[in-house]
Amino acid sequence: MKKQRSTLSMFDKALVVRAFKDAARKLDPRTLYKNPVMFVVEIGSAFTTLLFLHALATAAGEASPWFILAVSLWLWFTVLFGNFAEAMAEGRGKAQADTLRRARADVPARRLAEPRRDAPVEEVLSALLRRGDLVLVAAGDLIPGDGEVIDGIASVDESAITGESAPVIRESGGDRTAVTGGTRVLSDWIIVRITADPGETFLDRMIAMVEGAKRQKTPNEIALSILLAALTIVFLLATVTLLAYSTYAVGAAGSGTPVTMTVLVALLVCLIPTTIGGLLSAIGIAGMDRMVQANVLATSGRAVEAAGDVDVLLLDKTGTITLGNREAVALIPAKGVKERALADAAQLASLADETPEGRSIVVLAKKKFGLRGRDLRSLSASFVPFSAHTRMSGVDVDGKQIRKGAADAIDRFVGEHGGVVPSEVQEIVAELCRGGATPLLVAQGKQVLGVVHLKDIVKGGIKDRFAQMRRLGIRTVMITGDNPLTASAIAAEAGVDDFLAEATPERKLALIRQYQQEGHLVAMTGDGTNDAPALAQADVAVAMNSGTQAAKEAGNMVDLDSNPTKLLDIVAIGKQMLMTRGALTTFSISNDVSKYFAIIPAAFATTYPELGSLNVMGLHSPQTAVLSAVIFNALIIVGLIPLALRGIKAIDLLLRWMAV
Amino acid sequence: MAQLLRPLLSSLLLFSALFGFAYPAAVTALASLAFPSKAGGSVVLVGQEAVGSSLIGQPFTRPESFWGRPSATAPSAYNASASGGSNLGPLHPRLLKAIEARVEALRPFDPEHARPIPIDLVTASGSGLDPHISKEAAFYQVQRVARSRGLSEKAVRSLVEQHVEGLWPGVFDEPRVNVLLLNLDLKNMEQTGVE
Amino acid sequence: MAAVAQYGAYFAVLVVAAVPLGHYIARVYDGQASLAQRLLGPLERGIYRITGIRLDEEMTAKRYAFCLLAFNLAGALVVYLLQRLQGYLPLNPAHRGGVDPFVAFNTAVSFASNTNWQAYGGETTMSPLTQMAGLTVQNFLSAATGMAVAAALARGFIRRGSGTLGSFWVDLTRGAIYVLLPLSLLFAGLLVSQGVVQTFEGSITVKLVEPQESAAGQTITEQVIPLGPVASQVAIKQLGTNGGGYFNANSAHPFENPTPLSNFLELLAILLIPAALCFTFGSMVKSRRHGWVLFATMVALVIPPLLLCAASEHGGNRALADLGIDQAAGNMEGKEVRFGAFTSALWATVTTAASNGSVNAMHDSFTPLGGLAPMWLMQLGEVAFGGVGSGLYGLLMFAIIAVFIAGLMVGRTPELLGKKLEAYEMKMAALVVLLPSAAVLVGTAIACALPAGRAQVLNPGPHGFSEMLYAFSSAANNNGSAFSGLDATNRFYTLALSLCMLIGRYWVIVFVLAVAGALGRKNAVPVSAGTLPTDTPLFALLLIGTVLLIGALTFIPALALGPVVEHLRLAAVAGGAP
């Protein structure tokens, strides 16, 4: 699979140049005030610049003008570096957004008056389309907006969004109806009902997100901002009051001069959490960016952060825990039934069943008994499709009702026809279940013909993955339509903490609610329309891009690769974002103490030369001490940009923490 | 508002009666039964006359008496109605000058300056009413007291030793001597002539 | 070595006494202390009957705070009026006139807020009526108020999806009746047995053994020794972390603290309830380990300043090195012989670790580092033991911040005792931590800038600065001890310090109750392997680190210009290398 998006290097030349320009533009106080820490630095920079000009002009400045200039310049650099970090993060998003924007260019659309292919057509621009409009899209056309296929079938190139070059099929009915504006129809035609107004489309949301334009602050980020603001106030008070203390000290000691404004501003800037203040939004944007690189589109930063918090994962068994699809491996006839007769009925019941299981039954019947596929239409048979409620599928042919399905479903079916499932069949079923296999019963009318042995294959390495999750305090719950016996066997093999067997959309929803009531945060994946309620309820709901529009609307993330295992990566990214922030905060605050030791002796050198013995770093003059603190403070922001953008190695750090 | 005022005012009144009057009254009643002397101020009687409290220091300045700690109370030393310390910091010039003066006052009685002066003899106590001096400070004065009173040093020293008190000297407190009681006994010893 | 044994014994006895007391207090607030209720239940029920307090009343955080503030306001008003009008009131044998309005206001705020900062001299200003009906009553009620807030906060952690925190009136009554009253009776009795006076007589006059010549040339033949109901007041002043002495010299006065044993008992009383409340909290939130973690945190915060203070005081005053003085006993200026340097150092750290503020030696005369230790303990926000109740809720506010930072580091949104901490709690906790510190810094700065502030200091140089810094640290953190060289009776100090005391007490309480209310409304989050455990030594370390770091970042510059400079200067004067 080719992912264009992850090819951007950390310090792409074009990106850096652009970030420098943006950093300068961000000096505008009207935007900078949103970042109080950096805003304070900017005020300090401006103030020291004035002090420099004053010293230069009057020769009666509080210190040598060149010293003031040096401090002032480094303060300006501090603001610029903070802006640069943010611009770097945004720049990476913008580069991606530009690519996306090309796909969003206005395209002509053929609006239909009625949902028929031959209905009257009106040519309009895609920007004029509104929710509910019907458009016809034929081979070679760009799909003008997000919508739902209501008629037709077509192959669609979605590489502009997913980075996946292989075309996908979109058709009316079922779970593959959703189409995205900006993607191109390669063959055939479809009629699409537009489901989003211009500006609110998937593509628009994606552009907004990668640009960071509509980034909401997450609750955690807000709480952190409060802490940082509180610290800033503490430092502001500690430095401002120092002026009064210093004046008193000069009076009391009878020597020296009060501390200079330049030094106080320098001290303040060194103390306030500029490291984290400058990198906070960069971390947030980088978190979103990492999601995008993983081909996951989150609708809000809140969702990304919630991903770091979830402690219950609902995982669909199929595709996430087990390798794709189950396969029929054996046919076990009931007493008095020939294996060939069972194979014949099973094949008939599966001919129209396009599910992988169904196909594997047809394949097995052919392999074992050489049974060829028959044309159902020529048999005047009618196919009964699988539904989540009956959990059976089959065929009605020659007045015979042939069904295959789960044990309890077939039990009900034969019961309705006045039959029972023979005890030896029940034993076979139980036996297979205990082994983690899926038994599929085949019945004709009231007679049970036998059992198809379907086998699940648990993905390699998944057990370790779950063990890792458990150490992080995350509970994994397997969701499956299987019966409890089968489910528990697979659950044990895969190492999940719990499972929900015989799952229906309602039970899934109820389970999520129950977990949430207990205070858990729940993450899940889903694709079908019937998943929508559960997706809407879950805290982190990842819809598959291949899924229906309803599912995508209900979720708060879309996985463009439609890979359910991605949920585990999403959680890791969320955690990484939280931890990067924590590490930088702690770092930022705790190295302040050393800055005191550098600056305080220097600031009061004329009044209390005794304080020189606190100058443990051996800085040789007061001015060097102040300058080196300011320079260190500015450079550390640049030094930590890669960390902020890449994130600390979350899992490693976490495991180390847990080991303590 | 009434829902607030009633509990507020009535409980304030009740608690004032309970903690402001009943409680101290109860403690006073019990104290006067169990420890009448201590509750009344540990008054020291000589004959029928109250000459002090064994817990409150008194000023002694004559060479024939043991001297107590310097006292910073105003207007004069050991004013029990205005307890308090000097509150002078370790570098205050007034403190350094005062200590020097006290050292000078003690020096004539030990001209060879054979022994360093115990710190408590030249520093003011926290209350200004400290009834004690350290054991060392008492021994430091034995020579002077004995000479002034015409007693043998040995006799005075053994009297001091009898007065050394301490709950668990060296761990919980320092060995010390009650100056008032020591001086009263000293007077007693001189009068009765017992050695 | 001897000192270490004494300190060890002290903390050992403290633990042994505090653990059962803590569990008992938890039962008191849950209404489950059956034995005590059998004895004192009639008193409690009688109070409810007369006052119309309903046992089952449930208050929201807002209502709880409102009742608390109204009650404290009324209490302060009574104290103010008693002082102003004492000249016209009975029980005034010495015929003391009304107290100066500014001093009276300062004292009323001081006693209502559990600070017990004394801008007056005890034996020369207040009539016995004012002492008893005003000050002693507030000693009980301000302590019971602090404990009630701690209990309400604990309920915030316990309750799920509940809008209420219990009844302020019931919590107030129970804390006062079942905890403070019996303990005070017990301690008062013990103190009398040591010689603490307890009588309604005003004073005795004795004949001096050796009449003295006064400086004015008059002969002084008598000593007037004030008496009073001292033991009853001292017992509650120590137990309730009040600290306001009956006499000016406070617990250095032989009638307040006559023997090493009385000293030990009072030391125990100072930390007893604040220490016990850790275990009360553990008991109430059904996690006794949390109680131990909080207690261990407090002890760990106290030990280093204690050792610093002890070493520095024992080391003596280096400026006296050339005078031929034996300083083996340490720095004895302002100290009593019966306590000595080590025990005085223990008291100084204990009384400032708790927001007690009573002193058995004059802190102003301590060595620079010996004086830095108590100042530092106050500046930490009075959370290492702190006031009864207030220390616990203060430390829990720090715990909220610590959990938040730690939660970030392990990649979890922060939870404490099953309650998710969000922006609102952070904001409140930050304000609680911030405001007293801000009051200290700004107050000291204003004092430095105003002649009315500068003129009142006694000591020259950096020590004078320390006096001002100490005063504001003490007031804003509701401690009440002082570098008493500072004359804080002028209008500037009485008003500025009153304001600091109000901020340090009521501003904090309002925000703590807001947190309690918000926590109570939340549902509990189940504990999982990924929850940051808050009942481990590791978390205690984190909490200690948070408290120390915030304190250090706020106060290093100020401390550098006060005690630190003075220490370096003392080293220079003594001629030794620093």
Side-chain angles (χ1 to χ4, degrees), chain C residues 26-39:
Chain C
R27 289 201 300 277
V28 165
Y29 284 112
D30 288 341
Q32 305 286 328
S34 46
L35 182 67
Q37 277 173 333
R38 213 172 305 156
L39 284 168

Side-chain angles (χ1 to χ4, degrees), chain C residues 84-107:
Chain C
R84 300 284 294 136
L85 303 175
Q86 66 180 11
Y88 309 103
L89 295 171
L91 261 175
N92 185 6
H95 306 292
R96 304 200 193 287
V99 180
D100 167 79
F102 287 89
V103 171
F105 173 69
N106 182 278
T107 306

Side-chain angles (χ1 to χ4, degrees), chain C residues 147-164:
Chain C
M147 289 164 69
V149 175
L153 180 58
R155 289 196 194 105
F157 280 104
I158 310 162
R159 296 192 175 178
R160 271 121 217 236
S162 158
T164 59

Side-chain angles (χ1 to χ4, degrees), chain C residues 5-184:
Chain C
Q6 181 190 1
Y7 299 166
Y10 173 69
F11 283 105
V13 173
L14 179 66
V15 174
V16 169
V19 173
L21 178 63
H23 297 319
Y24 164 74
I25 297 176
R27 289 201 300 277
V28 165
Y29 284 112
D30 288 341
Q32 305 286 328
S34 46
L35 182 67
Q37 277 173 333
R38 213 172 305 156
L39 284 168
L40 292 163
L43 180 59
E44 187 194 357
R45 285 191 294 276
I47 290 173
Y48 295 158
R49 201 165 307 133
I50 297 171
T51 55
I53 295 170
R54 283 188 296 115
L55 190 56
D56 56 353
E57 188 177 359
E58 282 291 336
M59 296 183 180
T60 61
K62 212 179 260 177
R63 175 85 187 159
Y64 201 102
F66 181 67
C67 289
L68 184 152
L69 292 177
F71 184 74
N72 276 253
L73 177 68
L77 202 64
V78 168
V79 177
Y80 179 78
L81 291 176
L82 276 173
Q83 292 177 84
R84 300 284 294 136
L85 303 175
Q86 66 180 11
Y88 309 103
L89 295 171
L91 261 175
N92 185 6
H95 306 292
R96 304 200 193 287
V99 180
D100 167 79
F102 287 89
V103 171
F105 173 69
N106 182 278
T107 306
V109 169
S110 163
F111 276 74
S113 65
N114 196 252
T115 311
N116 297 33
W117 171 270
Q118 290 169 296
Y120 62 93
E123 56 268 66
T124 50
T125 319
M126 302 293 174
S127 77
L129 179 77
T130 310
Q131 295 254 22
M132 280 162 41
L135 306 186
T136 305
V137 171
Q138 282 307 312
N139 280 352
F140 277 93
L141 297 181
S142 66
T145 298
M147 289 164 69
V149 175
L153 180 58
R155 289 196 194 105
F157 280 104
I158 310 162
R159 296 192 175 178
R160 271 121 217 236
S162 158
T164 59
L165 299 170
S167 159
F168 170 68
W169 305 119
V170 172
D171 289 342
L172 179 82
T173 309
R174 285 190 168 155
I177 300 281
Y178 289 115
V179 182
L180 297 172
L181 184 60
L183 280 174
S184 298

Side-chain angles (χ1 to χ4, degrees), chain A residues 385-403:
Chain A
F386 178 85
S387 87
H389 284 276
T390 63
R391 306 220 311 288
M392 290 188 301
S393 63
V395 66
D396 292 345
V397 60
D398 304 338
K400 291 182 291 184
Q401 288 183 310
I402 302 174
R403 294 288 184 274

Side-chain angles (χ1 to χ4, degrees), chain C residues 274-464:
Chain C
L277 283 173
C278 295
F279 304 110
T280 303
F281 182 76
S283 191
M284 282 181 85
V285 301
K286 309 259 182 309
S287 166
R288 296 198 167 179
R289 282 177 62 103
H290 274 100
W292 280 101
V293 163
L294 292 172
F295 178 76
T297 302
M298 291 181 174
V299 172
L301 285 168
V302 171
I303 296 293
L306 170 61
L307 297 181
L308 173 71
C309 186
S312 184
E313 288 310 298
H314 182 65
N317 182 352
R318 296 169 82 168
L320 306 178
D322 301 332
L323 293 176
I325 295 171
D326 172 15
Q327 291 205 65
N331 171 27
M332 286 302 287
E333 178 69 24
K335 292 194 182 62
E336 303 285 294
V337 167
R338 63 191 180 283
F339 306 137
F342 282 127
T343 311
S344 298
L346 177 60
W347 185 293
T349 36
V350 163
T351 194
T352 46
S355 76
N356 183 286
S358 64
V359 294
N360 79 344
M362 297 301 131
H363 292 184
D364 212 350
S365 298
F366 272 30
T367 56
L369 296 184
L372 182 143
M375 211 182 315
W376 169 246
L377 280 164
M378 295 188 295
Q379 287 163 348
L380 290 184
E382 286 296 4
V383 293
F385 292 105
V388 285
S390 62
L392 179 69
Y393 60 67
L395 188 59
L396 286 169
M397 294 299 116
F398 271 103
I400 287 178
I401 294 174
V403 162
F404 179 77
I405 296 173
L408 276 177
M409 286 198 290
V410 293
R412 292 270 295 156
T413 42
E415 295 153 28
L416 183 56
L417 285 158
K419 292 300 176 92
K420 183 164 273 187
L421 304 176
E422 290 163 292
Y424 182 76
E425 288 81 23
M426 267 309 292
K427 203 184 288 175
M428 296 296 124
L431 283 171
V432 165
V433 170
L434 187 67
L435 282 159
S437 300
V440 174
L441 289 175
V442 173
T444 310
I446 294 173
C448 281
L450 292 182
R454 290 197 299 266
Q456 305 301 100
V457 303
L458 172 70
N459 281 278
H463 196 97

Side-chain angles (χ1 to χ4, degrees), chain A residues 142-160:
Chain A
L142 278 174
I143 296 175
D146 291 3
E148 219 178 343
V149 180
I150 55 167
D151 196 9
I153 179 167
S155 64
V156 179
D157 171 15
E158 294 194 337
S159 60

